[in-house]
Amino acid sequence: MARRLLTSLATIAVAMTLTFVLIRQMPGDIVHQWAVQLQMQQGISYEQARLQAAAMINYNPDIGLFEQYFSYLGGLLTGNLGLSLTYRIPVSLVLVQALPWTLLVTTLATFLSFVVGCGLGLLGALRRQSLLDPLLTLYATLSQALPPFLIGLLLLLVFGIGLEWLPMRGNYTPDVEPGLNLPFLLDVALHAVMPVMAFALPAMGDWALAMKASATSVLGEDYLHVARARGLKPRRILLRYLGRNSMMPLVPSLATALGSALGGSMLVEAIFGYPGLGFFLAQAIDRRDYPLMQGIFLISTMGVVLFNLAGELVLARLDPRLRR
Amino acid sequence: MSALRTLARNRRALLGLLGLVFFLLMALLGPELLPLDRMPDPDRRFEPPSLTHLLGTDYAGRDTLVQLVHGSRDIIQISFFTGFFAVLLALAVGLTAGLLGGWIDGVLTALTDVFLTVPQFPVMAILAALMRVGDPVTFGLVLGLWAWPGLARSLRSQVRALREREFIEAARVMALSPTWILTRELLPNLVPLIGVYFIRVARDAITVSVGIMLLGLVPLKVENWGMMLNMATFQSGALYVPRAWAYLLSPLVAIVAFQFCLIRLASGVEELVDPRLRRQA
């Protein structure tokens, strides 16, 4: 566990350093442009304005490279992610607004695909001779070739443009009052359907295959025969004995899947104009908004690291052999 | 030869292989047979498939099939070079860690873990965009730079396991040179693993590179599959023109078909290498 923790910290450090190198590649003297603007707004001296601008963007080109690195790290640790060059607000504000939407879609999608996939896999393991088995394999292969963003494009084409059943862009309709009211929640749910399905549909096949393999191996265990011999209800055997034990090895991958969905949300969110982390990251790269790019990349990396750690912890709790 | 025959007997893998050959021929010969005409023809915008334009026309009235054929060159090169660079890096890291062991192994394993954790797509997209990647080789390098850790990890554990086996020990007792042991005894045992991984990385590179191009982050030619999708989805409004379905779906279907072939081929090679899997086929 200590080793995992160390690797996690190293990963975050690498991401921080990478973004530091990145931000130094910014074209043009951004600090100068901001300083001039501040000077005009506040009527302060150029030196003062330059210092202020450097603090705002969390990038100070006037000091030595080492000092730059440490002042940048210091800025990050105090939550100063700099200023978004396109939105002219602190990057942390953009993150706070975007993160919930990404989390909503990715967690919904991951749990949906997990539950449905596991159910299908369990059925597949129980009915090995039926048509379901080859169908599952075909579906899993097909979904490997169809990444979420292509599924998203097809969904958009069919349900958004063709049938006009679902809203095509955004997270909610602008004229709905945001808050805890039914119309708003319904509107949000309706907007989330296609992004969620784009993530969930391809993932289902993988879960189903993994669950099928796991359940098949559990089916050969003695305790199932014992349970049957004890005359336990089939339903209880199915859910408590078979379902639970074959799902266990998949739970850690669930955390990893959440992490990778977080990292891979760019394309799906871009296609649906869904204002989550990935949407803003794609925009930031396109418009060369370095501070925003850096902030989103850092937060995504931390998210992945945290989810991975959570997976290890859950595994350690679930598997008594790993408990010390 | 017996390997080829086993592969041919596996119908699914054969399908993959034939499909791959088809795509390779399309990239090699296609552009010679179907010359590219970039001249816009505004009267023929978004035409559905017809005898003169088998896959219809794009937003500027140009033939979709010709673009698709010319675009196949880029995509195949990108996926090949990504696989190539990833395997090269993985060999360097994995073999060094597995053979040398000790603190070097510790450092390289930690490095592998770090590269494995950093969100792949964002970092690839950022690098490709900021480096203004414009040719397939550099694109492959940028993608390959983040695609090696999985293989490096497997190579390392394979090498560590093989090191203890009798035939390596025998070679050592016979005082064969380390180079000999590496190239004649170790590497042949690693080839299947490398082959399967190469196909997998090459396949991932298709999705990733198309994704990066779909977002319009790299300046590449119009007749690239990813750029075609980008144009159809974000730039030209083809998405909203029902008549233009062929223009939007052509690159999409091509991408899926190409990947499908690679998946089939990879599973075929896996079965070839691991006879235990054959029974399930």
Side-chain angles (χ1 to χ4, degrees):
Chain A
M1 207 59 219
R3 227 184 68 86
R4 284 283 342 160
L5 217 61
L6 219 64
T7 322
S8 309
L9 286 177
T11 308
I12 292 173
V14 165
M16 282 178 169
T17 313
L18 198 76
T19 53
F20 172 72
V21 175
L22 209 70
I23 204 149
R24 291 180 44 80
Q25 308 299 314
M26 264 194 296
D29 192 346
I30 306 271
V31 177
H32 172 73
Q33 291 167 23
W34 279 90
V36 170
Q37 208 178 348
L38 282 175
Q39 204 182 358
M40 287 193 298
Q41 280 168 4
Q42 305 179 4
I44 46 177
S45 75
Y46 178 74
E47 280 71 33
Q48 261 180 314
R50 201 173 161 88
L51 270 178
Q52 259 191 40
M56 277 164 77
I57 307 178
N58 190 22
Y59 166 59
N60 191 347
D62 302 335
I63 48 180
L65 197 61
F66 257 111
E67 285 155 305
Q68 262 184 50
Y69 185 58
F70 286 109
S71 87
Y72 156 82
L73 284 189
L76 289 187
L77 292 180
T78 52
N80 181 5
L81 292 166
L83 211 62
S84 160
L85 302 179
T86 37
Y87 295 98
R88 317 227 145 206
I89 53 170
V91 168
S92 43
L93 271 183
V94 182
L95 291 185
V96 166
Q97 280 169 26
L99 187 61
W101 296 109
T102 297
L103 283 180
L104 174 77
V105 166
T106 50
T107 42
L108 267 181
T110 310
F111 283 110
L112 182 73
S113 61
F114 184 74
V115 170
V116 176
C118 283
L120 284 175
L122 196 60
L123 266 180
L126 287 175
R127 309 205 196 314
R128 305 237 338 138
Q129 308 304 326
S130 74
L131 200 63
L132 187 68
D133 198 40
L135 273 181
L136 272 185
T137 314
L138 181 71
Y139 182 81
T141 319
L142 259 181
S143 62
Q144 270 178 42
L146 260 171
F149 71 97
L150 289 185
I151 297 250
L153 215 54
L154 288 175
L155 287 174
L156 190 64
L157 204 61
V158 175
F159 297 102
I161 295 162
L163 298 169
E164 292 183 19
W165 285 357
L166 292 163
M168 297 194 297
R169 291 186 65 79
N171 46 355
Y172 57 87
T173 323
D175 55 344
V176 179
E177 184 73 34
L180 269 177
N181 56 58
L182 197 62
F184 176 70
L185 292 179
L186 269 178
D187 194 53
V188 166
L190 221 54
H191 277 81
V193 171
M194 282 202 286
V196 166
M197 291 317 277
F199 279 120
L201 283 176
M204 266 172 210
D206 289 341
W207 288 125
L209 277 196
M211 183 67 177
K212 199 187 85 184
S214 175
T216 309
S217 71
V218 171
L219 273 174
E221 295 282 348
D222 287 335
Y223 58 75
L224 274 189
H225 300 295
V226 175
R228 251 179 241 128
R230 277 167 66 201
L232 294 178
K233 284 194 192 103
R235 201 185 134 79
R236 189 180 158 88
I237 296 179
L238 182 70
L239 293 179
R240 285 287 182 83
Y241 285 71
L242 181 59
R244 205 178 190 177
N245 284 310
S246 35
M247 216 194 295
M248 205 108 85
L250 304 188
V251 170
S253 330
L254 192 62
T256 324
L258 269 174
S260 63
L262 195 67
S265 64
M266 258 169 101
L267 283 160
V268 171
E269 288 181 357
I271 281 174
F272 292 109
Y274 201 82
L277 286 182
F279 173 80
F280 284 107
L281 181 56
Q283 214 175 54
I285 299 176
D286 194 31
R287 298 180 183 171
R288 300 294 190 264
D289 185 343
Y290 285 78
L292 186 57
M293 210 190 296
Q294 155 201 301
I296 296 177
F297 183 65
L298 274 180
I299 200 105
S300 315
T301 309
M302 284 182 201
V304 174
V305 166
L306 281 180
F307 279 126
N308 282 354
L309 273 180
E312 300 269 329
L313 281 176
V314 170
L315 182 66
R317 289 221 51 140
L318 283 182
D319 193 338
R321 280 166 299 183
L322 287 179
R323 261 181 239 154
R324 244 160 262 166
Chain B
M1 264 340 267
S2 76
L4 264 181
R5 213 169 296 144
T6 320
L7 198 63
R9 224 177 289 143
N10 183 336
R11 260 188 301 134
R12 286 191 275 170
L14 188 68
L15 193 76
L17 192 64
L18 287 179
L20 192 65
V21 169
F22 170 76
F23 277 108
L24 284 175
L25 284 179
M26 175 163 141
L28 278 173
L29 306 176
E32 315 295 332
L33 299 174
L34 298 167
L36 185 65
D37 180 11
R38 287 210 180 100
M39 269 299 285
D41 184 356
D43 294 336
R44 304 186 146 273
R45 273 167 62 85
F46 296 139
E47 275 193 8
S50 63
L51 277 179
T52 40
H53 301 289
L54 285 178
L55 292 176
T57 58
D58 75 348
Y59 60 96
R62 295 169 295 201
D63 190 79
T64 307
L65 178 65
V66 172
Q67 291 185 36
L68 200 69
V69 166
H70 281 255
S72 63
R73 274 195 180 172
D74 271 0
I75 207 95
I76 287 177
Q77 285 187 64
I78 290 172
S79 68
F80 172 81
F81 281 113
T82 308
F84 175 74
F85 287 121
V87 164
L88 219 58
L89 283 165
L91 275 174
V93 174
L95 290 185
T96 316
L99 288 174
L100 294 182
W103 66 270
I104 298 177
D105 178 32
V107 169
L108 288 179
T109 306
L111 189 78
T112 311
D113 282 346
V114 167
F115 269 80
L116 212 53
T117 320
V118 169
Q120 307 262 306
F121 187 74
V123 80
M124 287 171 174
I126 289 175
L127 280 182
L130 297 189
M131 286 174 65
R132 308 198 142 276
V133 168
D135 63 290
V137 184
T138 329
F139 211 151
L141 184 63
V142 167
L143 301 188
L145 202 56
W146 301 91
W148 57 268
L151 179 61
R153 189 185 255 184
S154 325
L155 279 178
R156 174 190 167 270
S157 51
Q158 277 277 341
V159 168
R160 291 192 74 85
L162 285 173
R163 250 161 53 125
E164 310 304 324
R165 295 274 290 277
E166 289 91 351
F167 69 98
I168 299 289
E169 221 162 296
R172 248 188 257 142
V173 172
M174 285 161 73
L176 293 173
S177 77
T179 334
W180 175 282
I181 297 181
L182 180 67
T183 53
R184 298 293 171 89
E185 310 281 347
L186 269 180
L187 275 181
N189 283 293
L190 300 173
V191 164
L193 181 68
I194 297 171
V196 170
Y197 198 83
F198 176 84
I199 301 177
R200 196 180 305 157
V201 170
R203 181 172 69 74
D204 281 343
I206 300 169
T207 321
V208 172
S209 67
V210 165
I212 292 173
M213 290 185 272
L214 174 68
L215 294 174
L217 297 178
V218 288
L220 271 171
K221 297 185 296 267
V222 184
E223 61 273 5
N224 187 294
W225 293 358
M227 285 311 282
M228 286 171 77
L229 270 184
N230 168 266
M231 287 292 173
T233 316
F234 294 123
Q235 316 260 357
S236 67
L239 195 58
Y240 306 97
V241 183
R243 275 195 319 146
W245 61 269
Y247 174 51
L248 181 69
L249 288 184
S250 298
L252 204 150
V253 169
I255 291 161
V256 173
F258 188 26
Q259 290 204 75
F260 197 72
C261 293
L262 287 179
I263 293 172
R264 285 296 196 219
L265 189 63
S267 76
V269 173
E270 261 172 352
E271 278 169 30
L272 187 73
V273 178
D274 188 350
R276 274 171 303 172
L277 288 171
R278 240 175 256 166
R279 269 174 293 147
Q280 298 171 7

